[in-house]
Amino acid sequence: YRVHLPQEYGGLSVDEASRGQGVGTQLVEALRELAVELGCYGMWVMTDHDNAAARGAYEGAGGQDAGSFRMLDWTFADGAPAG
């Protein structure tokens, strides 16, 4: 199965006062458990290369570096796609 979370769930952050206490790792572990319960075959996440806190949470929850990739995007002045 493949589960896509709605856009409003597309981000994960930990309040600054709670950082460094393993909260992010616990959240990712909970998402992993939910994915397994739903029958998913895996999950992936993107983060900036220089976001050490996020990488630490993901790696602490068992995530492995899948290598590098390039993300491309388009931004339009009025927010509407060209056409």
Side-chain angles (χ1 to χ4, degrees), residues 2-58:
R2 182 173 293 206
V3 177
H4 294 276
L5 297 176
Q7 185 63 33
E8 61 265 22
Y9 297 113
L12 175 69
S13 65
V14 175
D15 186 81
E16 192 169 333
S18 298
R19 292 180 186 164
Q21 300 175 33
V23 174
T25 298
Q26 291 174 7
L27 288 169
V28 176
E29 287 172 343
L31 289 171
R32 180 192 178 284
E33 290 174 16
L34 177 61
V36 170
E37 288 175 17
L38 291 173
C40 296
Y41 53 84
M43 65 184 206
W44 61 271
V45 64
M46 293 187 319
T47 190
D48 293 324
H49 293 280
D50 62 350
N51 191 338
R55 286 193 350 263
Y58 301 139

Short mmCIF file of all heavy atoms in Angstrom, two decimals, residues 2-58:
data_model
loop_
_atom_site.label_atom_id
_atom_site.label_comp_id
_atom_site.label_asym_id
_atom_site.label_seq_id
_atom_site.Cartn_x
_atom_site.Cartn_y
_atom_site.Cartn_z
N ARG A 2 0.32 2.30 -0.49
CA ARG A 2 0.99 3.59 -0.44
C ARG A 2 0.02 4.56 0.21
O ARG A 2 -1.13 4.67 -0.21
CB ARG A 2 1.36 4.06 -1.83
CG ARG A 2 2.10 5.38 -1.83
CD ARG A 2 2.58 5.71 -3.19
NE ARG A 2 3.60 4.73 -3.55
CZ ARG A 2 4.55 4.95 -4.40
NH1 ARG A 2 4.63 6.09 -5.00
NH2 ARG A 2 5.43 4.02 -4.67
N VAL A 3 0.44 5.23 1.24
CA VAL A 3 -0.39 6.18 1.96
C VAL A 3 0.18 7.57 1.75
O VAL A 3 1.36 7.80 1.99
CB VAL A 3 -0.45 5.86 3.48
CG1 VAL A 3 -1.25 6.91 4.21
CG2 VAL A 3 -1.01 4.47 3.69
N HIS A 4 -0.64 8.47 1.27
CA HIS A 4 -0.22 9.86 1.11
C HIS A 4 -0.96 10.69 2.14
O HIS A 4 -2.18 10.68 2.19
CB HIS A 4 -0.55 10.37 -0.29
CG HIS A 4 0.22 9.69 -1.36
ND1 HIS A 4 1.49 10.07 -1.71
CD2 HIS A 4 -0.10 8.64 -2.14
CE1 HIS A 4 1.92 9.28 -2.67
NE2 HIS A 4 0.98 8.40 -2.95
N LEU A 5 -0.21 11.38 2.96
CA LEU A 5 -0.83 12.25 3.95
C LEU A 5 -1.24 13.54 3.28
O LEU A 5 -0.57 14.02 2.38
CB LEU A 5 0.14 12.54 5.09
CG LEU A 5 0.58 11.34 5.91
CD1 LEU A 5 1.63 11.78 6.93
CD2 LEU A 5 -0.59 10.71 6.62
N PRO A 6 -2.35 14.12 3.70
CA PRO A 6 -2.75 15.43 3.15
C PRO A 6 -1.64 16.45 3.38
O PRO A 6 -0.83 16.32 4.29
CB PRO A 6 -4.00 15.79 3.97
CG PRO A 6 -4.49 14.51 4.54
CD PRO A 6 -3.27 13.64 4.71
N GLN A 7 -1.61 17.46 2.55
CA GLN A 7 -0.54 18.46 2.61
C GLN A 7 -0.34 19.03 4.00
O GLN A 7 0.78 19.27 4.42
CB GLN A 7 -0.83 19.60 1.61
CG GLN A 7 0.29 20.60 1.52
CD GLN A 7 1.58 20.02 1.01
OE1 GLN A 7 1.57 19.12 0.19
NE2 GLN A 7 2.71 20.51 1.49
N GLU A 8 -1.42 19.24 4.76
CA GLU A 8 -1.24 19.84 6.08
C GLU A 8 -0.46 18.93 7.02
O GLU A 8 0.01 19.37 8.05
CB GLU A 8 -2.58 20.23 6.71
CG GLU A 8 -3.53 19.08 6.94
CD GLU A 8 -4.52 18.88 5.82
OE1 GLU A 8 -4.27 19.32 4.68
OE2 GLU A 8 -5.57 18.27 6.06
N TYR A 9 -0.31 17.68 6.68
CA TYR A 9 0.49 16.76 7.49
C TYR A 9 1.86 16.51 6.87
O TYR A 9 2.59 15.67 7.31
CB TYR A 9 -0.23 15.43 7.69
CG TYR A 9 -1.52 15.58 8.45
CD1 TYR A 9 -2.73 15.35 7.83
CD2 TYR A 9 -1.52 15.98 9.77
CE1 TYR A 9 -3.93 15.50 8.52
CE2 TYR A 9 -2.70 16.15 10.47
CZ TYR A 9 -3.90 15.90 9.83
OH TYR A 9 -5.07 16.06 10.52
N GLY A 10 2.18 17.27 5.84
CA GLY A 10 3.42 17.08 5.12
C GLY A 10 4.65 17.60 5.84
O GLY A 10 5.75 17.47 5.33
N GLY A 11 4.48 18.16 7.02
CA GLY A 11 5.63 18.68 7.74
C GLY A 11 5.64 18.18 9.17
O GLY A 11 4.60 17.89 9.75
N LEU A 12 6.81 18.05 9.69
CA LEU A 12 6.97 17.58 11.06
C LEU A 12 7.98 18.50 11.73
O LEU A 12 9.05 18.74 11.19
CB LEU A 12 7.49 16.14 11.09
CG LEU A 12 7.83 15.55 12.44
CD1 LEU A 12 6.55 15.34 13.26
CD2 LEU A 12 8.54 14.22 12.26
N SER A 13 7.62 19.04 12.86
CA SER A 13 8.58 19.88 13.59
C SER A 13 8.36 19.69 15.08
O SER A 13 7.30 19.26 15.52
CB SER A 13 8.42 21.36 13.21
OG SER A 13 7.16 21.84 13.61
N VAL A 14 9.39 20.00 15.82
CA VAL A 14 9.35 19.90 17.28
C VAL A 14 9.55 21.30 17.83
O VAL A 14 10.44 22.04 17.39
CB VAL A 14 10.45 18.94 17.79
CG1 VAL A 14 10.51 18.93 19.31
CG2 VAL A 14 10.22 17.53 17.25
N ASP A 15 8.74 21.67 18.80
CA ASP A 15 8.86 22.97 19.43
C ASP A 15 10.29 23.16 19.92
O ASP A 15 10.92 22.24 20.45
CB ASP A 15 7.87 23.05 20.60
CG ASP A 15 7.85 24.43 21.22
OD1 ASP A 15 7.17 25.30 20.66
OD2 ASP A 15 8.50 24.61 22.27
N GLU A 16 10.79 24.37 19.75
CA GLU A 16 12.19 24.64 20.09
C GLU A 16 12.53 24.25 21.52
O GLU A 16 13.61 23.72 21.79
CB GLU A 16 12.49 26.12 19.87
CG GLU A 16 13.96 26.43 19.91
CD GLU A 16 14.28 27.83 19.44
OE1 GLU A 16 13.52 28.39 18.64
OE2 GLU A 16 15.32 28.35 19.88
N ALA A 17 11.63 24.47 22.47
CA ALA A 17 11.89 24.14 23.88
C ALA A 17 12.01 22.64 24.12
O ALA A 17 12.57 22.21 25.12
CB ALA A 17 10.79 24.72 24.76
N SER A 18 11.49 21.83 23.20
CA SER A 18 11.49 20.37 23.37
C SER A 18 12.54 19.68 22.52
O SER A 18 12.65 18.45 22.55
CB SER A 18 10.11 19.81 23.02
OG SER A 18 9.13 20.35 23.90
N ARG A 19 13.30 20.43 21.76
CA ARG A 19 14.31 19.82 20.88
C ARG A 19 15.45 19.22 21.69
O ARG A 19 15.74 19.65 22.79
CB ARG A 19 14.84 20.85 19.90
CG ARG A 19 13.77 21.26 18.92
CD ARG A 19 14.25 22.27 17.93
NE ARG A 19 13.11 22.70 17.12
CZ ARG A 19 13.10 23.78 16.38
NH1 ARG A 19 14.16 24.55 16.31
NH2 ARG A 19 12.03 24.09 15.69
N GLY A 20 16.05 18.18 21.12
CA GLY A 20 17.19 17.54 21.76
C GLY A 20 16.81 16.56 22.85
O GLY A 20 17.66 16.08 23.59
N GLN A 21 15.51 16.24 22.95
CA GLN A 21 15.03 15.33 23.98
C GLN A 21 14.49 14.02 23.39
O GLN A 21 13.88 13.23 24.11
CB GLN A 21 13.94 16.02 24.81
CG GLN A 21 14.42 17.27 25.49
CD GLN A 21 13.29 17.99 26.21
OE1 GLN A 21 12.37 17.37 26.72
NE2 GLN A 21 13.36 19.31 26.24
N GLY A 22 14.68 13.81 22.09
CA GLY A 22 14.22 12.58 21.46
C GLY A 22 12.77 12.62 21.00
O GLY A 22 12.24 11.60 20.55
N VAL A 23 12.12 13.77 21.08
CA VAL A 23 10.72 13.88 20.69
C VAL A 23 10.55 13.60 19.20
O VAL A 23 9.65 12.85 18.80
CB VAL A 23 10.15 15.27 21.05
CG1 VAL A 23 8.74 15.44 20.53
CG2 VAL A 23 10.19 15.48 22.56
N GLY A 24 11.40 14.18 18.37
CA GLY A 24 11.32 13.95 16.93
C GLY A 24 11.49 12.49 16.57
O GLY A 24 10.74 11.95 15.75
N THR A 25 12.44 11.84 17.20
CA THR A 25 12.66 10.41 16.95
C THR A 25 11.43 9.61 17.36
O THR A 25 11.00 8.71 16.63
CB THR A 25 13.90 9.92 17.72
OG1 THR A 25 15.04 10.62 17.23
CG2 THR A 25 14.12 8.43 17.54
N GLN A 26 10.82 9.95 18.49
CA GLN A 26 9.62 9.24 18.94
C GLN A 26 8.46 9.45 17.96
O GLN A 26 7.70 8.51 17.69
CB GLN A 26 9.23 9.70 20.34
CG GLN A 26 10.20 9.26 21.41
CD GLN A 26 9.87 9.86 22.78
OE1 GLN A 26 8.85 10.50 22.96
NE2 GLN A 26 10.76 9.64 23.73
N LEU A 27 8.32 10.66 17.43
CA LEU A 27 7.27 10.91 16.45
C LEU A 27 7.47 10.08 15.19
O LEU A 27 6.52 9.49 14.66
CB LEU A 27 7.22 12.40 16.09
CG LEU A 27 6.68 13.34 17.16
CD1 LEU A 27 6.94 14.80 16.78
CD2 LEU A 27 5.20 13.11 17.38
N VAL A 28 8.70 10.04 14.71
CA VAL A 28 8.99 9.27 13.49
C VAL A 28 8.79 7.78 13.75
O VAL A 28 8.25 7.05 12.91
CB VAL A 28 10.41 9.56 12.97
CG1 VAL A 28 10.74 8.69 11.77
CG2 VAL A 28 10.54 11.04 12.62
N GLU A 29 9.18 7.31 14.92
CA GLU A 29 8.94 5.90 15.27
C GLU A 29 7.45 5.59 15.28
O GLU A 29 7.01 4.53 14.82
CB GLU A 29 9.57 5.56 16.62
CG GLU A 29 11.08 5.48 16.57
CD GLU A 29 11.74 5.34 17.93
OE1 GLU A 29 11.07 5.61 18.96
OE2 GLU A 29 12.92 4.97 17.97
N ALA A 30 6.63 6.52 15.80
CA ALA A 30 5.18 6.32 15.82
C ALA A 30 4.63 6.27 14.39
O ALA A 30 3.75 5.44 14.08
CB ALA A 30 4.49 7.41 16.62
N LEU A 31 5.14 7.13 13.51
CA LEU A 31 4.71 7.09 12.11
C LEU A 31 5.11 5.78 11.45
O LEU A 31 4.35 5.19 10.67
CB LEU A 31 5.30 8.27 11.34
CG LEU A 31 4.72 9.63 11.67
CD1 LEU A 31 5.53 10.73 11.01
CD2 LEU A 31 3.26 9.70 11.24
N ARG A 32 6.31 5.30 11.77
CA ARG A 32 6.77 4.01 11.23
C ARG A 32 5.84 2.89 11.67
O ARG A 32 5.44 2.05 10.87
CB ARG A 32 8.21 3.73 11.68
CG ARG A 32 8.75 2.43 11.17
CD ARG A 32 10.05 2.05 11.87
NE ARG A 32 10.55 0.78 11.41
CZ ARG A 32 10.06 -0.42 11.75
NH1 ARG A 32 9.03 -0.50 12.56
NH2 ARG A 32 10.56 -1.53 11.27
N GLU A 33 5.49 2.87 12.96
CA GLU A 33 4.59 1.83 13.47
C GLU A 33 3.23 1.89 12.79
O GLU A 33 2.67 0.86 12.43
CB GLU A 33 4.44 1.98 14.99
CG GLU A 33 5.68 1.61 15.77
CD GLU A 33 5.56 1.89 17.26
OE1 GLU A 33 4.42 2.08 17.75
OE2 GLU A 33 6.61 1.94 17.93
N LEU A 34 2.72 3.09 12.58
CA LEU A 34 1.44 3.25 11.89
C LEU A 34 1.54 2.73 10.46
O LEU A 34 0.65 2.02 9.98
CB LEU A 34 1.00 4.71 11.90
CG LEU A 34 -0.28 5.04 11.14
CD1 LEU A 34 -1.47 4.27 11.73
CD2 LEU A 34 -0.53 6.54 11.15
N ALA A 35 2.63 3.06 9.78
CA ALA A 35 2.81 2.59 8.41
C ALA A 35 2.83 1.06 8.34
O ALA A 35 2.22 0.46 7.46
CB ALA A 35 4.10 3.17 7.83
N VAL A 36 3.53 0.44 9.28
CA VAL A 36 3.57 -1.03 9.32
C VAL A 36 2.17 -1.59 9.56
O VAL A 36 1.74 -2.53 8.88
CB VAL A 36 4.57 -1.52 10.38
CG1 VAL A 36 4.45 -3.02 10.61
CG2 VAL A 36 6.00 -1.16 9.98
N GLU A 37 1.44 -1.00 10.51
CA GLU A 37 0.07 -1.46 10.79
C GLU A 37 -0.83 -1.33 9.58
O GLU A 37 -1.72 -2.16 9.37
CB GLU A 37 -0.52 -0.65 11.95
CG GLU A 37 0.07 -0.98 13.30
CD GLU A 37 -0.46 -0.07 14.41
OE1 GLU A 37 -1.51 0.59 14.21
OE2 GLU A 37 0.18 -0.01 15.48
N LEU A 38 -0.61 -0.30 8.77
CA LEU A 38 -1.42 -0.08 7.57
C LEU A 38 -1.00 -0.97 6.40
O LEU A 38 -1.63 -0.97 5.36
CB LEU A 38 -1.36 1.39 7.15
CG LEU A 38 -2.04 2.38 8.10
CD1 LEU A 38 -1.75 3.81 7.67
CD2 LEU A 38 -3.54 2.13 8.14
N GLY A 39 0.07 -1.72 6.58
CA GLY A 39 0.54 -2.62 5.53
C GLY A 39 1.44 -1.96 4.51
O GLY A 39 1.65 -2.49 3.42
N CYS A 40 1.99 -0.80 4.83
CA CYS A 40 2.90 -0.12 3.91
C CYS A 40 4.20 -0.91 3.78
O CYS A 40 4.63 -1.57 4.72
CB CYS A 40 3.20 1.29 4.39
SG CYS A 40 1.75 2.37 4.44
N TYR A 41 4.83 -0.81 2.63
CA TYR A 41 6.08 -1.53 2.40
C TYR A 41 7.31 -0.68 2.71
O TYR A 41 8.43 -1.16 2.64
CB TYR A 41 6.15 -2.04 0.95
CG TYR A 41 5.92 -0.98 -0.09
CD1 TYR A 41 6.96 -0.17 -0.53
CD2 TYR A 41 4.67 -0.78 -0.65
CE1 TYR A 41 6.76 0.81 -1.47
CE2 TYR A 41 4.46 0.19 -1.60
CZ TYR A 41 5.51 0.97 -2.01
OH TYR A 41 5.30 1.94 -2.97
N GLY A 42 7.12 0.56 3.07
CA GLY A 42 8.23 1.44 3.41
C GLY A 42 7.74 2.87 3.53
O GLY A 42 6.56 3.16 3.37
N MET A 43 8.65 3.77 3.83
CA MET A 43 8.33 5.19 3.87
C MET A 43 9.60 5.96 3.56
O MET A 43 10.70 5.42 3.65
CB MET A 43 7.72 5.60 5.20
CG MET A 43 8.60 5.50 6.42
SD MET A 43 7.63 5.93 7.90
CE MET A 43 8.93 6.48 8.99
N TRP A 44 9.43 7.21 3.15
CA TRP A 44 10.57 8.04 2.85
C TRP A 44 10.28 9.46 3.31
O TRP A 44 9.13 9.82 3.55
CB TRP A 44 10.92 8.01 1.36
CG TRP A 44 9.84 8.50 0.46
CD1 TRP A 44 8.84 7.75 -0.10
CD2 TRP A 44 9.63 9.84 0.01
NE1 TRP A 44 8.02 8.54 -0.85
CE2 TRP A 44 8.48 9.83 -0.80
CE3 TRP A 44 10.29 11.03 0.23
CZ2 TRP A 44 8.00 10.98 -1.41
CZ3 TRP A 44 9.80 12.19 -0.37
CH2 TRP A 44 8.67 12.14 -1.18
N VAL A 45 11.34 10.23 3.42
CA VAL A 45 11.22 11.61 3.84
C VAL A 45 12.31 12.42 3.15
O VAL A 45 13.36 11.88 2.81
CB VAL A 45 11.33 11.73 5.38
CG1 VAL A 45 12.70 11.30 5.86
CG2 VAL A 45 11.00 13.12 5.87
N MET A 46 12.05 13.69 2.93
CA MET A 46 13.06 14.59 2.39
C MET A 46 13.41 15.62 3.45
O MET A 46 12.54 16.05 4.20
CB MET A 46 12.53 15.33 1.16
CG MET A 46 12.28 14.45 -0.02
SD MET A 46 11.85 15.36 -1.55
CE MET A 46 10.74 16.63 -1.02
N THR A 47 14.67 15.98 3.51
CA THR A 47 15.11 17.06 4.39
C THR A 47 16.32 17.74 3.76
O THR A 47 16.98 17.15 2.89
CB THR A 47 15.42 16.56 5.81
OG1 THR A 47 15.62 17.67 6.67
CG2 THR A 47 16.63 15.66 5.83
N ASP A 48 16.59 18.93 4.20
CA ASP A 48 17.77 19.63 3.70
C ASP A 48 19.03 18.94 4.20
O ASP A 48 19.07 18.39 5.30
CB ASP A 48 17.77 21.09 4.18
CG ASP A 48 16.64 21.89 3.55
OD1 ASP A 48 16.34 21.65 2.37
OD2 ASP A 48 16.08 22.76 4.24
N HIS A 49 20.07 19.01 3.39
CA HIS A 49 21.34 18.37 3.75
C HIS A 49 21.92 18.93 5.04
O HIS A 49 22.57 18.22 5.80
CB HIS A 49 22.37 18.53 2.62
CG HIS A 49 22.01 17.79 1.39
ND1 HIS A 49 22.24 16.44 1.25
CD2 HIS A 49 21.43 18.19 0.24
CE1 HIS A 49 21.82 16.04 0.07
NE2 HIS A 49 21.31 17.08 -0.57
N ASP A 50 21.67 20.22 5.31
CA ASP A 50 22.27 20.85 6.49
C ASP A 50 21.35 20.84 7.71
O ASP A 50 21.64 21.46 8.72
CB ASP A 50 22.70 22.28 6.17
CG ASP A 50 21.53 23.18 5.77
OD1 ASP A 50 20.42 22.67 5.55
OD2 ASP A 50 21.75 24.40 5.66
N ASN A 51 20.24 20.09 7.66
CA ASN A 51 19.31 20.02 8.80
C ASN A 51 19.70 18.83 9.69
O ASN A 51 19.09 17.76 9.64
CB ASN A 51 17.88 19.89 8.29
CG ASN A 51 16.86 20.08 9.39
OD1 ASN A 51 17.17 19.92 10.57
ND2 ASN A 51 15.65 20.42 9.00
N ALA A 52 20.72 19.05 10.49
CA ALA A 52 21.25 17.96 11.33
C ALA A 52 20.22 17.45 12.33
O ALA A 52 20.19 16.25 12.61
CB ALA A 52 22.50 18.44 12.06
N ALA A 53 19.39 18.32 12.87
CA ALA A 53 18.38 17.89 13.86
C ALA A 53 17.39 16.92 13.22
O ALA A 53 17.08 15.87 13.79
CB ALA A 53 17.67 19.09 14.45
N ALA A 54 16.90 17.25 12.05
CA ALA A 54 15.94 16.38 11.37
C ALA A 54 16.61 15.05 10.99
O ALA A 54 16.05 13.98 11.22
CB ALA A 54 15.37 17.06 10.13
N ARG A 55 17.80 15.15 10.42
CA ARG A 55 18.50 13.90 10.05
C ARG A 55 18.74 13.03 11.27
O ARG A 55 18.60 11.81 11.21
CB ARG A 55 19.81 14.24 9.34
CG ARG A 55 19.60 14.74 7.92
CD ARG A 55 20.87 14.80 7.07
NE ARG A 55 22.11 14.60 7.77
CZ ARG A 55 22.92 15.57 8.20
NH1 ARG A 55 22.60 16.83 8.02
NH2 ARG A 55 24.04 15.29 8.82
N GLY A 56 19.06 13.65 12.41
CA GLY A 56 19.27 12.88 13.64
C GLY A 56 18.01 12.17 14.07
O GLY A 56 18.06 11.02 14.50
N ALA A 57 16.87 12.85 13.97
CA ALA A 57 15.59 12.22 14.34
C ALA A 57 15.27 11.05 13.41
O ALA A 57 14.89 9.97 13.86
CB ALA A 57 14.46 13.24 14.31
N TYR A 58 15.44 11.27 12.11
CA TYR A 58 15.12 10.21 11.15
C TYR A 58 16.07 9.03 11.29
O TYR A 58 15.65 7.87 11.30
CB TYR A 58 15.17 10.76 9.72
CG TYR A 58 14.21 11.90 9.48
CD1 TYR A 58 14.58 13.00 8.73
CD2 TYR A 58 12.93 11.89 10.02
CE1 TYR A 58 13.72 14.05 8.51
CE2 TYR A 58 12.05 12.93 9.82
CZ TYR A 58 12.45 14.01 9.06
OH TYR A 58 11.58 15.05 8.85
#
